[in-house]
Amino acid sequence: MAAVVELNNIHSVSEMSEEDDAKHGFHHRMFLEPQEKKRNMKALVVKQAKETCSCTPAKVKDCVFSLLPVLQWLPKYKLREYLLGDIMSGLIVGVLLVPQSIAYSLLAGQEPIYGLYTAFFASIIYFIFGTSRHISVGIFGVLCLMVGQVVDREVQRAGYDLEPAALGVHADTVTYVNTTISPVNQTSRQPFCDKSCYSITVGATMTFIAGVYQVAMGFFQVGFVSVYLSDSLLSGFVTGASFTILTSQAKYLLGLDIPRSSGIGSLVTTWINIFRNIHKTNICDLITSFLCLLVLIPTKELNEHFKSRLKAPIPVELVVIVVATLASHFGKLRENYGSSVAGHIPTGFLPPRPPDWNLIPTVALDALPIAIIGFAITVSLSEMFAKKHGYTVKANQEMYAIGFCNIIPSFFHCFTTSAALAKTLVKESTGCRTQISGMMTALVILLVLLVFAPLFYSLQKCVLAVITIVNLRGALRKFKDLPKMWHLSKVDTVIWLVTMASSALISTEIGLLVGVCFSMLCVIFRTQRPEAPLLGWVAESETYESLSAYKNLQTKPGIMVFRFEAPLYYINKECFKSTLYKQTGVNPVWVKAAKKKAAKRMLREKEVDSGGKPTSISVELVSEPLGFHTIVIDCCAIQFLDTAGIRTLKEVCKDYREIDVQVLLAQCNPSVRSSLIRGEFFKEGEDHLLFHSVHQAVDFALGAQEHSRSCASKN
């Protein structure tokens, strides 16, 4: 009841009776009683603890089914309806994924076999833990780039040569598995562990940490971090990183043997090194790259152009790899022309090995942006395709799923994974209905791992680089969308450009940070200088709209209606005051100062006229009419107030009241009303009023003015 009385006091205007209200046209006042909020924190914590710690069979079952979604949907699998589409999509994605896995291994600074391991384990684990029916989880180019940059840095720190290892990867890694000492520098390095096995050790360790971060984000439900990665920011980041990927692969197109640049400005440094060594170009690799581009780009374009007619995309990448491998093998391009080839790719699986715990402090910070990008892309793609096909996904479970897709494979010589848009689109368009298609993809990769992997020995690295570069077309095409994006939102376009440029020219990690900071600054700037128009009345309605946006709006005599379209807080409080003064044309502080100055001048003139004798005159002067007697502030767009905002409203009301202008507030949401009450905005005896609509406030102001005139005429 106290709250109701308080609201009554807020709405009370004078001691007029209800008959007087009706007589003078006053509107019927409404009173709202707020809900009682339970603030017993101790009881709430105890209740939550009991619910969390209780263990019942039903709760255990729910927990297991929630953690392992496959147990829910697999028993309900419609064999006749779903199986054919899942098999077809799984086989097609598997055929496309094999060459991409081999190619992206190069980008991540790893041997080709590790890319196949990564794609295989990721498909199986997401089948178990994932909630999306359509996304394809595997190798993603941007994450491979970020992993590769850290791997190269750590390899150099450990004192390894930048030249490829002379020994085979399979034998070397097995030898290294039997050792317990991780290379930290040249002196402590085991002679049996070459650059290749140390590279995957670094990659797997970082993958493990990234997965731990993602699972922790799911456990503590901090998925809100992804809201700071807007679509324009992510798109700009991926496009900027694509330039870095293209740059890192350019040396393979030319057959140049130059070290990979890392750190700030690596893109510029790499191109400088390329042009310095351009005279060392391997003509055989250059011709091969050119021919592969001539085949891949037109065929990819045809796939996209006729995707509605084709039952499945043409597996041109696999065809190119097979043909290029045969040409390299029978033409002996490595022996005759010095072409760089993939080398020995072993069959089977290596024994599992835990990450190198000594490396964790070194790569822990590098794994954080990888974890955030990975889960942000996975969750956004999951939600996008779920919405398109009319089912729901659990964002929290998706974080668990992608986390386990990194943690578990890190013990099997794998590197970081996430969902990938291009392969997901192929999967969807070829009839995928459930993650059974992911198991089919894993079977295709398993077949390659067990049988066909050694056949890629003679495959030129320039072919893998071409495949990687051609797959960047989607990201680079975003430049075509810039005019449309600029037309829709100039701010989003600027965020895209800043993130893209910083990711490309500075570094991928710093570019992501710059993009997040810049987008947050844009939000702050937009609330710092928001729109604040005067409103006019739409005839024959109770609606008020912006006078600057619409024609044929009417204004009520003596009343200004002002809308501030942003939260009112410490950043924009001065903007609120200055804009209000500008729109109304009256700064009450200046009006008061002018009154006082005129009063003092009049007082001096009176003293001179009376010969210096003291006179008693009032300093209150009848000033020129302001043209209005009421300001109605439409608060519908003010989401919240802080202490500075409350103080600003108090000052505005006080300043205008001193020049005989009343200020009314309309359409305040419950949060704003609560803030005003807590801030003691409404004091007994003051005519501060709250109204549920602008129309009510205007009617009240007109009625009050008419009432004051009738009282004045009687006197």
Side-chain angles (χ1 to χ4, degrees):
M1 290 300 294
V4 176
V5 173
E6 187 175 19
L7 286 174
N8 279 329
N9 289 336
I10 291 171
H11 286 77
S12 296
V13 183
S14 62
E15 298 299 324
M16 291 186 297
S17 64
E18 292 184 5
E19 293 180 0
D20 291 330
D21 288 350
K23 180 178 179 181
H24 297 292
F26 278 48
H27 66 278
H28 177 69
R29 295 189 295 273
M30 293 185 292
F31 303 101
L32 297 176
E33 182 176 2
Q35 293 279 1
E36 293 184 5
K37 294 183 178 180
K38 297 180 180 180
R39 299 185 179 276
N40 191 342
M41 187 59 66
K42 181 179 179 181
L44 186 64
V45 170
V46 170
K47 181 181 178 182
Q48 189 68 28
K50 286 182 178 179
E51 291 178 358
T52 305
C53 298
S54 63
C55 184
T56 62
K59 191 168 182 179
V60 171
K61 181 181 177 181
D62 290 342
C63 184
V64 171
F65 275 73
S66 177
L67 184 63
L68 303 172
V70 65
L71 299 179
Q72 290 181 318
W73 62 263
L74 191 58
K76 303 174 184 177
Y77 188 79
K78 300 177 182 178
L79 199 65
R80 292 183 179 179
E81 187 177 346
Y82 294 167
L83 186 61
L84 182 60
D86 283 341
I87 290 176
M88 287 298 297
S89 64
L91 292 176
I92 292 167
V93 172
V95 169
L96 297 175
L97 193 56
V98 169
Q100 290 185 16
S101 300
I102 297 173
Y104 284 139
S105 300
L106 202 65
L107 185 60
Q110 309 295 340
E111 295 292 336
I113 188 68
Y114 301 129
L116 294 172
Y117 288 164
T118 301
F120 172 75
F121 285 107
S123 298
I124 294 177
I125 294 169
Y126 189 81
F127 166 81
I128 298 171
F129 293 100
T131 59
S132 173
R133 303 174 190 172
H134 293 89
I135 67 169
S136 175
V137 174
I139 296 178
F140 182 51
V142 174
L143 296 185
C144 289
L145 172 69
M146 299 171 76
V147 170
Q149 290 173 339
V150 179
V151 167
D152 285 348
R153 185 194 70 201
E154 294 304 314
V155 164
Q156 292 181 36
R157 284 182 180 177
Y160 285 96
D161 292 333
L162 296 175
E163 299 295 329
L167 300 175
V169 59
H170 192 269
D172 291 334
T173 310
V174 172
T175 305
Y176 180 60
V177 167
N178 294 328
T179 64
T180 57
I181 301 175
S182 300
V184 181
N185 52 48
Q186 183 68 28
T187 57
S188 63
R189 180 163 57 93
Q190 287 288 332
F192 303 103
C193 178
D194 68 347
K195 175 188 170 184
S196 168
C197 65
Y198 187 63
S199 296
I200 191 57
T201 301
V202 175
T205 303
M206 188 162 53
T207 298
F208 174 80
I209 296 301
V212 170
Y213 286 152
Q214 289 164 337
V215 170
M217 289 175 185
F219 182 79
F220 293 107
Q221 299 184 356
V222 291
F224 66 87
V225 174
S226 64
V227 304
Y228 296 105
L229 306 178
S230 64
D231 291 341
S232 57
L233 187 150
L234 278 176
S235 176
F237 171 75
V238 171
T239 303
S242 297
F243 280 107
T244 308
I245 294 172
L246 189 152
T247 300
S248 69
Q249 300 300 294
K251 65 178 184 180
Y252 296 110
L253 300 185
L254 303 174
L256 297 178
D257 187 13
I258 57 176
R260 185 188 220 174
S261 300
S262 60
I264 296 175
S266 60
L267 182 139
V268 177
T269 306
T270 301
W271 281 111
I272 291 173
N273 290 333
I274 288 174
F275 284 110
R276 282 178 178 172
N277 294 274
I278 196 74
H279 60 281
K280 300 178 182 178
T281 298
N282 187 304
I283 302 300
C284 179
D285 284 346
L286 180 62
I287 294 173
T288 304
S289 302
F290 181 71
L291 292 175
C292 291
L293 286 170
L294 282 181
V295 174
L296 282 170
I297 293 178
T299 312
K300 286 273 190 178
E301 292 296 327
L302 288 174
N303 272 341
E304 287 196 14
H305 188 71
F306 295 104
K307 62 182 178 182
S308 58
R309 299 182 185 179
L310 294 172
K311 292 184 178 180
I314 302 170
V316 62
E317 292 167 333
L318 187 62
V319 173
V320 166
I321 279 187
V322 171
V323 173
T325 303
L326 292 174
S328 175
H329 175 72
F330 291 106
K332 297 184 178 180
L333 301 184
R334 179 190 178 195
E335 293 81 1
N336 295 335
Y337 303 101
S339 291
S340 178
V341 298
H344 176 61
I345 304 177
T347 56
F349 292 90
L350 300 176
R353 177 177 175 80
D356 188 339
W357 310 118
N358 296 324
L359 279 172
I360 289 178
T362 308
V363 301
L365 188 60
D366 299 296
L368 184 58
I370 292 176
I372 293 175
I373 289 293
F375 92 74
I377 290 174
T378 302
V379 170
S380 60
L381 285 180
S382 299
E383 292 177 345
M384 180 175 73
F385 282 92
K387 183 179 180 181
K388 182 177 180 180
H389 291 276
Y391 63 93
T392 58
V393 294
K394 298 177 181 178
N396 216 46
Q397 179 61 26
E398 285 299 296
M399 285 192 281
Y400 283 130
I402 198 62
F404 288 128
C405 282
N406 286 321
I407 291 176
I408 298 173
S410 68
F411 289 83
F412 296 90
H413 315 281
C414 300
F415 49 91
T416 314
T417 59
S418 76
L421 177 60
K423 291 184 281 292
T424 301
L425 289 173
V426 171
K427 195 173 181 179
E428 179 207 27
S429 63
T430 51
C432 170
R433 304 297 295 271
T434 69
Q435 283 299 329
I436 290 289
S437 62
M439 292 300 294
M440 296 306 302
T441 300
L443 288 177
V444 173
I445 299 172
L446 179 63
L447 184 64
V448 174
L449 281 169
L450 297 179
V451 179
F452 297 113
L455 301 179
F456 296 112
Y457 176 89
S458 299
L459 178 61
Q460 292 169 272
K461 288 186 177 180
C462 64
V463 177
L464 300 177
V466 169
I467 291 173
T468 300
I469 291 172
V470 170
N471 282 309
L472 300 176
R473 292 172 309 117
L476 298 177
R477 274 183 182 155
K478 294 295 182 181
F479 284 99
K480 285 186 178 180
D481 299 334
L482 283 183
K484 183 179 179 181
M485 190 189 300
W486 180 263
H487 179 70
L488 292 175
S489 173
K490 294 179 176 60
V491 174
D492 283 348
T493 308
V494 174
I495 291 173
W496 188 93
L497 289 170
V498 169
T499 308
M500 183 275 298
S502 56
S503 299
L505 299 177
I506 305 175
S507 72
T508 49
E509 295 86 355
I510 295 177
L512 178 63
L513 181 61
V514 168
V516 171
C517 294
F518 184 77
S519 61
M520 294 176 71
L521 285 175
C522 286
V523 173
I524 293 172
F525 289 151
R526 292 172 85 172
T527 59
Q528 186 177 1
R529 306 291 299 181
E531 294 289 329
L534 289 178
L535 307 184
W537 175 55
V538 180
E540 299 181 0
S541 72
E542 297 184 357
T543 303
Y544 284 76
E545 288 295 345
S546 171
L547 288 169
S548 60
Y550 299 101
K551 299 179 181 179
N552 304 321
L553 299 180
Q554 302 176 14
T555 56
K556 300 291 185 178
I559 300 175
M560 294 271 192
V561 183
F562 174 78
R563 177 190 292 158
F564 191 70
E565 299 180 351
L568 181 53
Y569 63 124
Y570 70 98
I571 287 178
N572 60 15
K573 61 186 180 69
E574 292 301 325
C575 174
F576 173 82
K577 293 170 72 173
S578 62
T579 309
L580 177 61
Y581 298 160
K582 180 180 178 181
Q583 293 283 37
T584 59
V586 174
N587 186 329
V589 178
W590 293 354
V591 172
K592 287 188 294 182
K595 278 186 177 184
K596 291 180 180 179
K597 186 176 180 180
K600 290 179 180 179
R601 185 174 65 252
M602 181 85 57
L603 181 60
R604 286 196 298 270
E605 291 174 357
K606 289 290 184 181
E607 288 178 351
V608 171
D609 293 341
S610 61
K613 296 180 181 180
T615 58
S616 58
I617 63 172
S618 174
V619 296
E620 294 293 334
L621 297 176
V622 178
S623 62
E624 296 181 3
L626 299 175
F628 61 92
H629 53 77
T630 302
I631 296 175
V632 178
I633 300 179
D634 181 3
C635 302
C636 67
I638 299 178
Q639 294 97 334
F640 64 86
L641 298 170
D642 67 353
T643 53
I646 297 171
R647 188 165 57 249
T648 299
L649 281 178
K650 286 182 178 180
E651 292 172 359
V652 166
C653 293
K654 177 177 175 293
D655 291 341
Y656 274 111
R657 185 169 61 251
E658 290 177 353
I659 61 172
D660 300 323
V661 175
Q662 68 173 342
V663 177
L664 310 179
L665 305 181
Q667 299 196 105
C668 297
N669 63 43
S671 172
V672 171
R673 287 199 293 268
S674 177
S675 297
L676 292 173
I677 294 170
R678 291 196 305 269
E680 299 180 350
F681 181 80
F682 307 105
K683 294 183 179 179
E684 189 174 356
E686 293 186 353
D687 296 336
H688 295 129
L689 302 171
L690 277 177
F691 294 87
H692 296 287
S693 70
V694 173
H695 189 72
Q696 287 181 348
V698 171
D699 281 353
F700 172 82
L702 291 173
Q705 184 66 12
E706 183 180 344
H707 175 69
S708 62
R709 285 176 183 172
S710 62
C711 291
S713 62
K714 289 179 182 179
N715 295 333

